[in-house]
Amino acid sequence: MTTTAPQPATTVPEQPATTVPEQPATTAEQPAATAPARTAALARARARAAGAEGLPAFDRLLELTEGERAVAVRNVPATLPCFTAHFPRHPVLPGVLLLESLAALARTAAGPGAWRLAGVRGARFKHFVGPGDQVHLTVEVSEHTRQRTECRATARVEGRVVATVRALTLVSATTTREGTA
């Protein structure tokens, strides 16, 4: 009968503790103490990103400073139904869909609350946006109150400006419309 001597327990060298990196800050000067507020703001932004038909108006939020500025990216896939009729030989993203993306980003930049689009002034479409393009959307808040927000907006593809809006006006959804009680 053979017996084996008990083997000494092997020790595994302790590994340094790994930390999960925080989500990127919305602005460089925000302290880490505002992480829950930042997370809540991003969650609200994702909820407001849906356009009129429930499709996302933008794909990824790159920067958000509520009440001041927001930057996002919208990818334009070739599978969008609008490309079959607009236009069959030269597909172009309709300008109204680009405006809807800018309005959704403006609602995100406006901050908490329900906002609706009240007006668009000075919209200029400078170049076509087609399938496969990645549109960088930028919205800067120029005026902000509890009931009304006005923004300037720009859309770029590969650094080239494809659309600008001088004024996107949002009003609080609780504000009554003219002619209604």
Side-chain angles (χ1 to χ4, degrees):
M1 181 166 174
T2 57
T3 60
T4 57
Q7 297 290 330
T10 57
T11 59
V12 177
E14 239 182 87
Q15 298 291 329
T18 57
T19 59
V20 177
E22 279 188 42
Q23 290 181 351
T26 53
T27 60
E29 55 275 347
Q30 283 184 334
T34 62
R38 186 173 55 242
T39 303
L42 289 174
R44 285 192 305 272
R46 286 186 195 101
R48 288 191 298 252
E53 297 177 1
L55 297 172
F58 54 86
D59 295 309
R60 189 173 26 146
L61 189 61
L62 300 177
E63 178 185 332
L64 173 62
T65 305
E66 287 183 338
E68 292 180 22
R69 176 182 164 91
V71 179
V73 171
R74 177 182 183 167
N75 296 312
V76 183
T79 57
L80 284 177
C82 63
F83 288 138
T84 58
H86 196 268
F87 297 99
R89 291 189 184 133
H90 182 67
V92 175
L93 182 72
V96 70
L97 293 181
L98 195 55
L99 274 178
E100 177 59 36
S101 295
L102 291 168
L105 189 59
R107 285 191 294 273
T108 301
W115 298 95
R116 65 180 168 82
L117 183 63
V120 176
R121 287 193 324 260
R124 307 258 190 255
F125 299 97
K126 299 175 182 240
H127 298 282
F128 294 116
V129 177
D133 285 342
Q134 186 176 58
V135 184
H136 289 265
L137 309 166
T138 304
V139 170
E140 294 183 8
V141 177
S142 55
E143 180 183 327
H144 181 66
T145 65
R146 282 184 331 129
Q147 297 295 318
R148 184 173 178 274
T149 299
E150 193 166 296
C151 306
R152 289 183 305 275
T154 306
R156 289 181 169 83
V157 173
E158 296 178 358
R160 180 177 174 179
V161 175
V162 295
T164 60
V165 178
R166 187 180 57 211
L168 268 169
T169 305
L170 305 171
V171 293
S172 173
T174 59
T175 304
T176 58
R177 297 180 182 171
E178 288 183 32
T180 62

